[in-house]
């Protein structure tokens, strides 16, 4: 073996990679936020909504969960312009990732909602709470608490999955890495550093979710 | 010259799908064998080995498959092996699957009550006998639903092979798009083909899980 590793050019351009990492975090956080909203609404529709609406949500969830994210991104970015919906790369990335995140979140939140005993909902209504109050205090909060670990792992998978948006030319960490590779021809070193950056981000997410979980679910219940 | 998307293109996509299936089978078989070793090493190995395996699982679960794929793809050539995209993606998928399957099977092995071990001890069984005749068969029962579900994950993840140029279903979709310039139709057909492979696996996993829960609720 005669290859000499040279990490110097990689670290000289580390700010490029750090910028990419910030973009990755932005994409992931937006997708997680929108996904949580889609997930909550979708889960509520599946449990209490009218049958046809619930069926549509099920189709959405099953379709997204059973096709690769990369194909979904290609449909959004390359496919939609032919029906007149032209999106920039980062718009397509955010929409694709959010739809993807939403589908997984629906299933997780639904499991949480169904874990709430019926009697608790009835007790809430007996206390004179309105349906929205019951939903907020009796259902969704305890439901999220039950499925919090599953949600946290799913969100980390979304962070990792966001690496795929580089293939629709959205600017994030892998995109920055490919650019750096084209200038330095050091792919192995670059992708090694990039992998460690992702590892640091997942560890950071894990710690953050742990703290958030302690903070959000410590009182009451 | 552009052509209309037709039956020939569907057949082309199906030849791509054949490679996706093959790649998934390699990933599942190789990942399963390595995963079994990971799980057994993680539960029964000496302390340092447990620690190393834990690091291995954390590293693979904490980095994108794309990064692993590139590291293998470019790494092999650095160490003097000139490998094709086909080998790189296979190796990356095997390691990826082994970490996830190993981690999930570890939980299944640990879920077997201690009394089962003690009963096997009392019968004078050796460690290998205890493992093969008492613990693993019971752990396998618990492991089957999630393992079948993970097979769908493997099929989906093989789509990354397309980015290093391996002509699987998605790459074939890109090629057909270039010839017909009907991206929406082509990618939707590609998506439905992946769906046709993954949906039965997901549903099967769901049914197995329900059946398992039914026999275990009193």
């Amino acid at each position: 073996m005669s290859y000499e590793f040279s990490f110097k050019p990689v670290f000289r351009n580390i700010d490029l990679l750090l910028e990419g990492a910030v973009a990755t975090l932005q994409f992931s956080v937006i997708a997680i936020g929108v996904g949580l909203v889609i997930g909550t609404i979708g889960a509520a529709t599946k449990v209490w909504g009218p049958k046809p609406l619930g069926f549509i949500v099920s189709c959405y969830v099953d379709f997204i969960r059973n096709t690769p994210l990369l194909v979904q991104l290609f449909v959004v970015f390359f496919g939609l312009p032919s029906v007149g919906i032209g999106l920039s790369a980062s718009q397509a990335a955010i929409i694709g990732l959010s739809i993807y995140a939403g589908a997984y979140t629906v299933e997780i939140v639904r499991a949480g909602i169904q874990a709430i005993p019926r009697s608790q909902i009835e007790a809430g209504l007996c206390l004179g709470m309105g349906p929205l109050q019951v939903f907020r205090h009796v259902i969704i909060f305890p439901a999220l608490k039950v499925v919090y670990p599953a949600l946290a792992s799913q969100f980390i998978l979304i962070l990792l999955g966001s690496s795929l948006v580089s293939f629709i030319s959205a600017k994030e960490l892998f995109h920055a890495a490919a650019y750096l590779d084209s200038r330095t021809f050091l792919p192995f070193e670059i992708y090694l550093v990039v992998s460690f950056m992702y590892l640091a981000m997942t560890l950071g997410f894990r710690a953050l979710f742990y703290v958030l979980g302690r903070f959000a679910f410590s009182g009451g219940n | 010259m552009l052509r209309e998307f037709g039956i020939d293109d569907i057949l082309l996509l199906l030849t791509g799908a054949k490679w996706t299936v093959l790649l998934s089978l390699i990933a599942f078989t190789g990942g399963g064998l390595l995963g079994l070793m990971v799980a057994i090493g993680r539960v029964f190995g000496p302390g340092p080995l447990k620690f190393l395996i834990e690091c291995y699982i954390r590293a693979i679960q904490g980095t994108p498959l794309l990064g692993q794929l590139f590291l293998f793809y470019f790494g092999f050539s650095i160490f003097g092996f000139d490998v094709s995209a086909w080998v790189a993606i296979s190796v990356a998928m095997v390691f990826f699957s082994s970490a996830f399957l190993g981690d999930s099977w570890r939980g299944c092995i640990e879920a077997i009550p201690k009394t089962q071990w003690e009963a096997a001890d009392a019968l004078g069984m050796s460690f290998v006998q205890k493992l093969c005749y008492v613990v693993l068969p019971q752990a396998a029962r618990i492991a089957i639903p999630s393992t079948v579900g993970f097979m769908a994950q493997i099929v989906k993840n093989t789509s990354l092979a397309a980015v290093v140029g391996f002509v699987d279903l998605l790459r074939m979709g890109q090629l057909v798009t270039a010839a017909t310039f009907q991206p929406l139709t082509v990618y939707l057909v590609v998506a439905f083909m992946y769906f046709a492979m993954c949906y039965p696996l997901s549903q099967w996993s769901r049914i197995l899980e329900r059946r398992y829960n039914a026999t275990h609720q009193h």
Side-chain angles (χ1 to χ4, degrees):
Chain A
M1 193 190 107
S2 58
Y3 187 84
E4 272 189 31
F5 291 98
S6 63
F7 284 96
K8 241 186 210 147
V10 183
F11 286 110
R12 210 180 301 131
N13 290 299
I14 197 76
D15 50 333
L16 210 74
L17 293 180
L18 287 175
E19 260 172 49
V22 171
T24 286
L25 287 175
Q26 281 171 341
F27 281 132
S28 315
V29 169
I30 296 175
I32 288 170
V34 180
L36 205 51
V37 174
I38 298 179
T40 310
I41 298 173
T45 313
K46 247 184 123 165
V47 179
W48 298 293
K51 277 261 158 62
L53 266 183
F55 178 73
I56 293 173
V57 173
S58 297
C59 288
Y60 155 68
V61 169
D62 279 339
F63 188 74
I64 297 294
R65 280 167 54 106
N66 287 299
T67 51
L69 173 59
L70 197 52
V71 176
Q72 294 159 20
L73 290 170
F74 279 13
V75 169
V76 173
F77 186 64
F78 298 115
L80 289 186
S82 57
V83 289
I85 308 173
L87 298 162
S88 76
S90 42
Q91 286 169 335
I94 286 171
I95 291 175
L97 280 175
S98 301
I99 292 176
Y100 172 79
Y104 284 85
T105 315
V106 167
E107 273 304 280
I108 297 174
V109 176
R110 188 191 53 88
I113 290 179
Q114 285 179 335
I116 306 293
R118 258 196 86 77
S119 50
Q120 281 198 22
I121 301 172
E122 285 159 4
L125 291 169
C126 282
L127 287 173
M129 292 166 111
L132 269 182
Q133 277 178 311
V134 169
F135 183 72
R136 199 181 128 198
H137 296 290
V138 183
I139 297 166
I140 199 67
F141 201 71
L144 286 180
K145 186 177 175 177
V146 173
V147 294
Y148 189 70
L151 268 184
S153 334
Q154 188 55 50
F155 291 161
I156 285 171
L157 287 179
I158 289 165
L159 170 74
L160 297 178
S162 75
S163 60
L164 297 187
V165 303
S166 57
F167 292 105
I168 56 169
S169 70
K171 292 188 173 51
E172 44 74 78
L173 186 45
F174 263 90
H175 191 273
Y179 173 75
L180 199 54
D181 177 24
S182 69
R183 303 222 330 209
T184 59
F185 301 109
L186 294 167
F188 188 80
E189 288 86 339
I190 292 170
Y191 289 116
L192 198 61
V193 172
V194 164
S195 291
F196 272 104
M197 288 170 83
Y198 271 99
L199 199 56
M201 285 193 280
T202 53
L203 289 178
F205 261 44
R206 238 174 248 288
L208 181 71
F209 287 135
Y210 178 75
V211 172
L212 273 180
R214 297 289 306 256
F215 178 71
F217 299 122
S218 57
N221 296 297
Chain B
M1 206 183 75
L2 294 182
R3 60 162 195 266
E4 280 293 302
F5 181 77
I7 190 80
D8 290 346
D9 296 299
I10 302 263
L11 291 175
L12 272 177
L13 289 178
L14 284 176
T15 57
K18 187 182 71 190
W19 290 106
T20 291
V21 171
L22 197 62
L23 193 52
S24 308
L25 286 177
I26 290 176
F28 182 71
T29 317
L33 288 174
L34 193 57
L36 192 61
M37 287 191 259
V38 165
I40 290 175
R42 178 68 187 76
V43 181
F44 306 108
L49 182 68
K50 276 186 189 175
F51 176 74
L52 277 180
I53 293 179
E54 189 66 27
C55 290
Y56 169 75
I57 293 175
R58 287 291 166 100
I60 293 206
Q61 292 189 340
T63 52
L65 175 58
L66 187 57
Q68 296 154 27
L69 173 60
F70 280 170
L71 284 180
F72 283 116
Y73 187 60
F74 296 114
F76 272 131
S77 58
I78 282 179
F79 292 104
F81 301 102
D82 192 21
V83 300
S84 59
W86 165 237
V87 175
I89 181 75
S90 301
V91 173
M93 285 297 301
V94 164
F95 282 114
F96 174 80
S97 314
S98 76
F100 278 86
L101 288 174
D103 197 26
S104 117
W105 291 348
R106 174 190 67 99
C108 299
I109 293 175
E110 286 176 342
I112 303 304
K114 207 167 163 245
T115 48
Q116 294 286 328
W117 286 96
E118 289 166 356
D121 264 339
L123 290 174
M125 288 176 148
S126 71
F127 175 74
V128 177
Q129 282 176 323
K130 281 187 277 189
L131 200 61
C132 295
Y133 296 127
V134 179
V135 176
L136 287 186
Q138 296 184 66
R141 253 179 79 80
I142 314 176
I144 285 171
S146 64
T147 304
V148 172
F150 187 71
M151 283 162 83
Q153 298 278 348
I154 292 180
V155 174
K156 287 189 288 175
N157 281 320
T158 59
S159 63
L160 286 194
V163 306
V164 287
F166 177 69
V167 185
D168 70 336
L169 176 51
L170 178 57
R171 180 80 191 121
M172 194 56 99
Q174 290 178 310
L175 298 174
V176 170
T177 301
T180 60
F181 207 66
Q182 284 173 289
L184 188 62
T185 320
V186 176
Y187 288 129
L188 280 178
V189 172
V190 167
F192 272 106
M193 285 184 178
Y194 275 110
F195 183 80
M197 289 186 252
C198 297
Y199 187 69
L201 289 172
S202 315
Q203 286 306 97
W204 187 22
S205 153
R206 214 178 275 185
I207 292 168
L208 286 170
E209 196 151 355
R210 210 172 296 148
R211 195 179 298 160
Y212 177 78
N213 283 337
T215 54
H216 278 251
Q217 267 165 7
H218 300 288

